[in-house]
């Protein structure tokens, strides 16, 4: 008997597997958002093994079908970027809600997952904060390195500081355990004044 969770997980993976953007990890190619989804889920279960089903789904669906809402369709400035990010949250929540309904979840469960994906009450809601910690940990572990090659040091320090400010103390402790390159560890320490 397939559970609603298994159905929803499979359908989220199936949606993300359609991403035309490919990323390589350990010499294997993956659809970009499927790889991100897997990294989010694995990091969540490492960081919080007793995570609720709602947050497990929210972690997997954090970027569901992200490629369908192009950054270029918004003005290429700070205001455009923030509007794009806001629209993405709503899009991810709506896409996930449709899957959850089809999988047989009730409205209360669906509303909670949407609440988490839209990152409401950050710093006030324990699970929203947990999801934000996981997002930041995944960024630092897998996506900081490509950023280092794209931006100057001041911009990088600013990105790291903003990322750090979004995290909880538990998130900070976990972030310092990540196996960074020596250069990136020094950059993080310089950014945070450690």
């Amino acid at each position: 008997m397939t559970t609603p969770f298994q159905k929803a997980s499979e359908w989220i993976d199936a949606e993300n597997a359609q991403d035309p953007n490919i990323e390589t990890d350990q010499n294997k190619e993956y659809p970009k958002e499927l790889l991100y989804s897997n990294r989010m889920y694995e990091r969540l279960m490492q960081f919080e093994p007793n995570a609720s089903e709602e947050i497990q789904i929210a972690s997997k669906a954090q970027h569901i079908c992200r490629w369908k809402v192009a950054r270029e369709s918004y003005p290429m400035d700070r205001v455009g970027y923030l509007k794009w990010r806001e629209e993405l949250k709503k899009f991810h929540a709506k896409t996930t809600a449709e899957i959850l309904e089809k999988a047989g979840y009730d409205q209360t469960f669906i509303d909670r997952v949407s609440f988490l994906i839209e990152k409401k009450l950050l710093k006030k809601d324990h699970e929203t904060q947990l999801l934000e910690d996981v997002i930041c940990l995944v960024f630092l572990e897998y996506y900081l390195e490509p950023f280092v090659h794209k931006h100057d040091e001041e911009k990088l320090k600013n990105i790291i500081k903003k990322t750090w400010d979004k995290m909880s103390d538990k998130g900070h402790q976990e972030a310092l355990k990540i196996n960074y390159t020596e250069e990136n560890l020094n950059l993080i320490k310089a950014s945070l004044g450690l």
Side-chain angles (χ1 to χ4, degrees), residues 45-64:
M45 299 318 288
Q46 275 176 335
F47 187 58
E48 187 57 70
N50 300 318
S52 71
E53 214 164 288
E54 290 91 340
I55 197 163
Q56 288 181 48
I57 297 273
S59 73
K60 284 187 74 62
Q62 184 61 30
H63 279 185
I64 190 166

Side-chain angles (χ1 to χ4, degrees), residues 2-194:
T2 314
T3 66
F5 180 79
Q6 288 167 322
K7 282 185 204 165
S9 295
E10 281 171 25
W11 291 336
I12 290 165
D13 286 349
E15 288 294 327
N16 280 328
Q18 294 174 47
D19 189 350
N21 304 294
I22 300 299
E23 205 166 286
T24 304
D25 182 48
Q26 297 176 344
N27 300 319
K28 196 170 171 214
E29 291 189 336
Y30 298 88
K32 184 180 174 188
E33 294 310 344
L34 180 62
L35 181 61
Y36 180 79
S37 175
N38 291 339
R39 285 170 168 171
M40 283 288 296
Y41 183 73
E42 283 164 18
R43 173 50 86 173
L44 171 69
M45 299 318 288
Q46 275 176 335
F47 187 58
E48 187 57 70
N50 300 318
S52 71
E53 214 164 288
E54 290 91 340
I55 197 163
Q56 288 181 48
I57 297 273
S59 73
K60 284 187 74 62
Q62 184 61 30
H63 279 185
I64 190 166
C65 298
R66 191 182 187 100
W67 67 93
K68 292 182 179 179
V69 184
R71 170 67 185 96
E72 294 74 34
S73 57
Y74 293 84
M76 297 304 282
D77 56 17
R78 178 93 183 128
V79 174
Y81 173 75
L82 293 173
K83 179 129 185 59
W84 173 66
R85 289 291 302 268
E86 209 45 51
E87 290 303 315
L88 273 175
K89 284 186 209 170
K90 290 177 189 158
F91 169 73
H92 297 320
K94 183 176 181 292
T95 307
T96 307
E98 287 164 4
I99 287 173
L100 295 179
E101 195 174 344
K102 201 170 73 166
Y105 281 106
D106 65 27
Q107 198 57 47
T108 305
F109 185 97
I110 295 169
D111 289 347
R112 181 65 181 160
V113 172
S114 295
F115 176 96
L116 292 169
I117 289 175
E118 291 187 45
K119 293 198 274 193
K120 292 184 175 172
L121 296 181
L122 185 60
K123 298 279 185 194
K124 294 189 177 83
D125 183 276
H126 168 71
E127 287 188 317
T128 302
Q129 184 57 54
L130 172 57
L131 186 62
E132 187 64 44
D133 279 345
V134 172
I135 291 165
C136 293
L137 290 167
V138 166
F139 168 72
L140 290 168
E141 185 166 4
Y142 297 105
Y143 301 98
L144 176 63
E145 181 64 29
F147 259 74
V148 167
H149 302 294
K150 284 188 205 159
H151 300 291
D152 63 58
E153 192 170 331
E154 277 318 300
K155 175 138 180 138
L156 285 167
K157 283 182 175 177
N158 193 27
I159 289 168
I160 290 166
K161 177 104 180 58
K162 281 183 178 167
T163 301
W164 203 257
D165 289 346
K166 290 182 199 167
M167 297 171 80
S168 68
D169 290 343
K170 186 183 174 196
H172 294 156
Q173 289 164 19
E174 196 66 20
L176 291 173
K177 294 179 195 167
I178 291 171
N179 189 17
Y180 303 103
T181 63
E182 192 177 341
E183 294 81 5
N184 288 353
L185 182 59
N186 289 337
L187 177 66
I188 288 166
K189 286 180 171 174
S191 308
L192 304 173
L194 296 176

